[in-house]
């Protein structure tokens, strides 16, 4: 039975936002190699500007079905398309595990102080 609640997921692909250099430990931690790659001209030419990168989130919010996973057509760039389901995207390196979902639910209730019927 549906209670009117649904979920979708989205990712921006490769988007030039300027946020990554602000991440803790990004430049001087173990991520120095990523900083070098992302700031190289060939890599940056493959990325989208932040306005175009936001389109996947917008499509997921206003024009997606329940359980859709929306992202760029070419994974890193391109127009937003339905890639798969929120739980089983074709390139998802982290398979869905019920115990992780249960733990996320438990923590969400603890943080919000609310109990939700599942």
């Amino acid at each position: 039975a549906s209670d009117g609640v649904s979920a979708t997921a989205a990712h921006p692909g490769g988007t030039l936002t300027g946020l990554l250099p602000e991440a803790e430990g990004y430049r001087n931690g173990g991520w120095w190699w990523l900083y070098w790659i992302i700031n190289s001209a060939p890599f940056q030419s493959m990325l989208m500007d932040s306005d175009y990168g936001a389109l996947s989130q917008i499509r997921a919010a206003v024009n997606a079905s329940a359980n859709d996973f929306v992202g760029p057509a070419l994974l890193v760039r391109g127009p937003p398309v339905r890639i798969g389901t929120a739980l089983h995207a074709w390139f998802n390196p982290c398979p869905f595990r019920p115990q992780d979902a249960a733990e996320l639910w438990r923590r969400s209730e603890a943080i919000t102080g609310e109990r939700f019927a599942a």
Side-chain angles (χ1 to χ4, degrees), residues 5-6 12 15 17 24 31-33 35 45-46 49 53 56 66 72 84 89 95 97 100 110-112:
V5 176
S6 65
T15 304
T17 63
E24 184 176 333
W31 296 97
W32 61 268
W33 56 272
Y35 181 79
S45 69
M46 295 186 307
D49 65 34
S56 293
R97 298 183 330 165
D100 293 339
I111 290 169
T112 63

Side-chain angles (χ1 to χ4, degrees), residues 7-108:
T8 59
H11 77 90
T15 304
L16 292 167
T17 63
L19 295 175
L20 196 53
E22 302 301 321
E24 184 176 333
Y26 174 65
R27 288 187 191 178
N28 56 6
W31 296 97
W32 61 268
W33 56 272
L34 185 59
Y35 181 79
W36 180 81
I37 291 171
I38 288 177
N39 286 295
S40 68
F43 189 82
Q44 291 220 349
S45 69
M46 295 186 307
L47 303 179
M48 302 180 288
D49 65 34
S50 58
D51 290 343
Y52 201 67
L55 293 178
S56 293
Q57 285 75 13
I58 294 169
R59 177 165 179 196
V62 299
N63 188 18
S65 298
N67 200 31
D68 276 356
F69 184 60
V70 178
L74 302 174
L75 185 59
V76 177
R77 66 177 298 128
V81 297
R82 181 184 182 275
I83 296 173
T85 66
L87 295 178
H88 303 288
W90 60 269
F91 64 89
N92 185 356
C94 302
F96 173 73
R97 298 183 330 165
Q99 64 268 29
D100 293 339
E103 178 64 12
L104 176 60
W105 195 266
R106 186 191 66 72
R107 288 185 186 194
S108 297

